[in-house]
Amino acid sequence: MGEANLRVALVGAGIGGLGAALVLRRAGLQVEVYEQAAELSEVGAGIHLAPNGSRVLHRLGLEPRLREVAAQPQALQVRLWDRGVTVARQPMGAAWAAEFGAPHYTLHRADLHRILAEQVPAESVHLNHRCTGFAEDEQGVRIDFADGSSAHADVLVGADGVHSVIRQALAGSEQPQFAGTAALRGVVPAELVPELAVEDMYVWTGPSARLLVCPVQGGRGLAFVAVVPDSGDLRDSWSRQGDPAALAAAFADWEPTVRTLLGAATEAGHWSLYDREPLARWSTGRSTLLGDAAHPMLPHYGQGASQALEDAVALAACLGERTAGPAGIAAALRRYQELRLEHTTRVRGEALTGGSQRLGGRKEGEMSAMVEDIAWVQRYDVEQALAPAAAR
Ligand code: FAD
């Protein structure tokens, strides 16, 4: 164990940043979080917390809070886009939890964000702090903000998402690659779509688009993500609003349940999909990256939040076990990078072509192949990966 009172500055209070703040604080480190937004507001739609991510939050004692707001889908139904027939049904629920060691939850991103925020003292989350850059030396790191102020810490963690400023400073300004599609997402009250059982999640795959629906808000809401062709717009943000009427029009010849669901949408957040090549390294002597800043990936694998939470556990363990002095910090950040880079690179690679993209046309008997595709990610236990080889 290194010297106590290591000061960690986290840039970004998304799920990765808040998750890391929680885990690092539990490991006894001093944590300050700097977030550009003026408030920790309710943004986003449905998010998946796969067993590898829910395992992390259960171990932190958050299972009761998750159970209040999340749904645990009982099955995944694959439906024909034009006739609405269910061609395959993969049981999930308790069977899935038993298979992978923890449940698969679907929930509103804002609920997950709030659960994490509740665990971090408000006075250590500094809002209205847009980071513009940083400088590090043997003594520490200085973090600069757009208002001209700065902060000092022993370690800097960039958890500032896919357009990360810290990543750019660490790794240069390589351009994100546009995937040619956008995700339009929102939540509708489940009571407006009585045709769909809220216990299940669904995917319809059509000729040029795909629609995924999962229960959120404990089953009171149905979150949808429509993946459609897009022209791309780098200025897009998570909070950019799409046009619900245009979305409904794009699915006008799909089966009636799809039309009912999208017709009930009053919001359709527009998210153009970008990917980035994996980095060769993401840590320096005192600075590192976490979550989407480190390894942005397309959303088709539903792993963005879970991978960020795994990063948080790995980082806390490495910093908690560091040896004294700057060399100990540098070695801990290198170890964290070694532990996470290879795994997240593989997950990102699978997200390029796998996950929900491979569900089109699946028949009942082929679902086990889909489960095999994702089992290695869902079974992954970051704490086991951290254990010395002899203890595994
Ligand atoms: P993010 O969740 O992107 O968080 C990054 C944080 O850093 C944000 O709070 C951002 O404001 C802050 N930040 C960025 N730049 C700076 C800066 N220069 N200085 C200070 N702070 C900065 N995923 C889904 O599957 N479904 C959704 O509906 C969904 N909605 C989302 C809505 C929003 C507003 C955001 C930011 C992300 C959303 N995501 C959603 C993505 C998902 O949250 C992430 O992929 C995953 O949780 C990993 O999160 P992260 O913390 O690494 O990055």
Side-chain angles (χ1 to χ4, degrees):
M1 170 71 78
E3 67 271 56
N5 295 330
L6 191 81
R7 295 167 307 153
V8 180
L10 275 157
V11 172
I15 285 158
L18 291 176
L22 161 59
V23 186
L24 291 168
R25 281 173 51 81
R26 296 259 180 111
L29 308 177
Q30 283 184 41
V31 181
E32 302 295 327
V33 185
Y34 301 94
E35 164 61 43
Q36 65 182 0
E39 52 179 344
L40 293 181
S41 58
E42 314 231 336
V43 189
I47 202 164
H48 290 259
L49 194 58
N52 54 307
S54 67
R55 179 164 26 251
V56 168
L57 295 187
H58 282 196
R59 283 183 184 148
L60 291 164
L62 296 177
E63 179 171 1
R65 289 291 287 122
L66 282 171
R67 297 244 177 232
E68 283 166 24
V69 295
Q72 190 181 345
Q74 297 304 304
L76 167 65
Q77 295 193 32
V78 181
R79 293 191 164 186
L80 293 180
W81 69 279
D82 49 356
R83 283 186 286 136
V85 181
T86 297
V87 287
R89 187 173 184 281
Q90 169 60 45
M92 295 180 70
W96 196 271
E99 176 76 25
F100 298 117
H104 184 111
Y105 293 121
T106 54
L107 66 172
H108 200 294
R109 179 181 178 276
D111 287 331
L112 178 55
H113 196 241
R114 189 179 329 103
I115 288 175
L116 295 172
E118 284 166 7
Q119 304 296 317
V120 180
E123 59 274 18
S124 58
V125 181
H126 308 276
L127 301 170
N128 278 317
H129 276 70
R130 183 164 67 80
C131 176
T132 51
F134 69 94
E136 69 175 62
D137 61 21
E138 272 281 294
Q139 274 67 52
V141 199
R142 189 194 72 237
I143 304 109
D144 300 321
F145 302 102
D147 64 0
S149 65
S150 53
H152 294 84
D154 300 308
V155 173
L156 165 65
V157 182
D160 48 342
V162 61
H163 298 295
S164 168
V165 167
I166 311 291
R167 176 187 175 110
Q168 191 169 339
L170 279 176
S173 56
E174 105 287 14
Q175 286 301 306
Q177 294 152 11
F178 177 50
T181 47
L184 297 169
R185 66 200 205 291
V187 179
V188 302
E191 65 193 18
L192 298 183
V193 200
E195 301 91 318
L196 290 181
V198 290
E199 292 76 31
D200 289 356
M201 52 187 216
Y202 303 84
V203 61
W204 291 258
T205 53
S208 60
R210 188 164 69 252
L211 180 70
L212 291 94
V213 172
C214 64
V216 295
Q217 297 157 334
R220 292 187 311 283
L222 289 170
F224 66 84
V225 182
V227 181
V228 298
D230 187 49
S231 57
D233 169 4
L234 211 53
R235 300 254 61 84
D236 256 4
S237 83
W238 274 101
S239 40
R240 188 181 131 183
Q241 281 308 306
D243 176 3
L247 174 64
F251 286 79
D253 56 351
W254 287 45
E255 63 119 333
T257 305
V258 169
R259 299 204 302 266
T260 306
L261 180 109
L262 296 180
T266 54
E267 52 168 359
H270 182 116
W271 169 29
S272 293
L273 298 182
Y274 286 90
D275 174 60
R276 285 181 193 265
E277 287 292 332
L279 294 174
R281 62 174 194 103
W282 67 47
S283 296
T284 60
R286 289 185 176 273
S287 308
T288 194
L289 301 173
L290 179 147
D292 283 3
H295 42 69
M297 55 185 70
L298 294 176
H300 313 302
Y301 229 53
Q303 277 288 327
S306 297
Q307 292 303 311
L309 292 169
E310 288 182 357
D311 289 349
V313 173
L315 179 62
C318 293
L319 285 175
E321 290 164 11
R322 75 194 182 283
T323 54
I329 293 174
L333 297 185
R334 250 193 332 272
R335 178 167 171 241
Y336 158 67
Q337 172 188 295
E338 275 161 21
L339 276 162
R340 297 300 297 155
L341 198 128
E342 189 183 329
H343 185 72
T344 55
T345 296
R346 191 172 163 207
V347 179
R348 172 262 173 192
E350 289 293 319
L352 279 179
T353 55
S356 60
Q357 296 164 111
R358 285 201 200 124
L359 285 172
R362 288 270 190 205
K363 301 282 184 319
E364 198 68 46
E366 299 162 357
M367 289 303 276
S368 57
M370 184 281 285
V371 178
E372 276 314 304
D373 269 4
I374 58 170
W376 66 277
V377 191
Q378 315 254 334
R379 249 184 222 123
Y380 186 83
D381 182 340
V382 64
E383 286 194 7
Q384 248 174 40
L386 281 159
R392 268 178 242 155

